[in-house]
Amino acid sequence: MTNLAHVFPVEPASRTNRAPSKKSARSQKQTSRLAMTLYRLYQSLIKIPVLCVIAYLMYFLYPAIELDPRVPVHPSVRSFPKRLIDIIGSIIGLAFTALLFIPLAIAIKIESAGPVLFKQKRAGLMSKPFAIWKFRSMVKNAEILKQKVTNEIADLTDGNTQSADNAKFFKNKKDPRITKTGRILRKTSLDEFPQFWNIFIGDMSLIGTRPPTFAEVGLYEIENEYTDSKMTEWSRLDVRPGLSGVWQVSGRSTVRSFEEVMEFDLYYKQNWSLRYDLWLIWKTVMVLFEKDNGAV
């Protein structure tokens, strides 16, 4: 994505904490000629005025086209059927969002001053930055007031609430920054509906890992390994972030440590399939109608 191979000499083999994978470790000779042709065509068209529209259309239908086919990423990233599901699902979701926008906007504006929508920079696939959208559920200056709110997340490994892992994941069940309307939005997950736009344009997927903030990514460590495959905290960035996932359907407000979040995300990465995605979509819809759905 950065084309650093054209600037710096890259050795064919280097030390890594990741275990080799036969499925992802593909040599240049094994790379599909069609995939390489489409990738080069996209790279050429994106630089040409007017014709760049074709490149944008190619990216919309298949966001993975911006990635060099030789770059090893999670199989879900290059799955065209998964992208079709995302497009169809996001269109349906945007239709519901359009119907709810006016009444929700009025409720949000009546209770507190500030914009209706909240935008925040998050780390996407391979840490590519993107702006995530939500209906605003907090007061206008919530980010500034965050330092005054207690982080209730405890590190399960040593019980030390001041450990570095706490900064990687923030949670306060009775966060005073959340408005009354915001609590209803979060309880029903309506605050997440604008993210269907992120899915539509290819920044996110319907199902994936939790999109972290860059403040969280800045605290990731290479030494921390999870699962028998020696996956690290950076491994979650090999998957496109999702609106929902294993964490969301497992009662997200009951998660009390960053390690639990990592386990959910890496479990999805290891067990991904289109069938599993469809099951998680169905489970997400069912969870929304549960009285005690684990949402804050």
Side-chain angles (χ1 to χ4, degrees), residues 23-40 62 67-72 78:
K23 293 183 179 180
S24 62
R26 299 181 302 170
S27 65
Q28 184 175 359
K29 294 181 180 179
Q30 295 173 318
T31 302
S32 169
R33 290 185 179 181
L34 176 60
M36 183 59 70
T37 300
L38 291 175
Y39 166 73
R40 290 173 176 170
Y62 189 60
L67 298 174
D68 190 320
R70 295 165 294 186
V71 174
R78 302 191 191 278

Side-chain angles (χ1 to χ4, degrees), residues 66-251:
E66 72 169 344
L67 298 174
D68 190 320
R70 295 165 294 186
V71 174
V73 292
H74 191 260
S76 63
V77 175
R78 302 191 191 278
S79 173
F80 184 66
K82 179 177 174 67
R83 177 55 184 164
L84 288 180
I85 294 174
D86 286 343
I87 293 175
I88 295 172
S90 62
I91 291 175
I92 296 174
L94 286 172
F96 281 105
T97 305
L99 293 174
L100 296 169
F101 188 87
I102 293 179
L104 291 182
I106 294 174
I108 293 170
K109 295 291 287 186
I110 287 178
E111 185 174 0
S112 64
V116 173
L117 296 176
F118 171 73
K119 181 176 72 170
Q120 186 181 45
K121 184 177 290 187
R122 296 289 184 97
L125 176 65
M126 298 179 71
S127 198
K128 178 182 178 181
F130 74 98
I132 195 173
W133 292 94
K134 295 184 178 184
F135 281 117
R136 182 170 60 85
S137 60
M138 291 186 173
V139 294
K140 184 178 179 180
N141 57 342
E143 290 297 315
I144 299 176
L145 297 174
K146 183 177 180 179
Q147 58 184 350
K148 298 182 180 181
V149 181
T150 302
N151 189 357
E152 296 178 347
I153 295 299
D155 185 3
L156 295 183
T157 58
D158 56 14
N160 180 12
T161 58
Q162 301 300 320
S163 65
D165 273 355
N166 290 341
K168 300 172 185 175
F169 188 54
F170 185 91
K171 180 71 68 174
N172 187 302
K173 192 173 183 179
K174 297 181 179 180
D175 196 325
R177 300 173 299 163
I178 304 176
T179 62
K180 293 181 180 179
T181 301
R183 292 196 180 279
I184 297 175
L185 292 177
R186 291 192 173 199
K187 182 65 178 178
T188 56
S189 295
L190 291 175
D191 63 318
E192 310 282 353
F193 272 44
Q195 290 175 39
F196 282 112
W197 174 252
N198 290 116
I199 298 170
F200 184 73
I201 62 177
D203 289 335
M204 295 176 62
S205 180
L206 286 173
I207 302 296
T209 56
R210 185 183 67 87
T213 63
F214 277 95
E216 175 186 322
V217 173
L219 296 172
Y220 284 179
E221 302 173 47
I222 297 178
E223 291 79 9
N224 289 353
E225 296 180 348
Y226 302 79
T227 76
D228 295 335
S229 300
K230 297 182 181 295
M231 292 184 180
T232 67
E233 296 163 353
W234 296 91
S235 300
R236 67 193 306 195
L237 299 176
D238 293 344
V239 182
R240 197 177 301 279
L243 172 63
S244 184
V246 181
W247 175 54
Q248 286 84 346
V249 303
S250 302

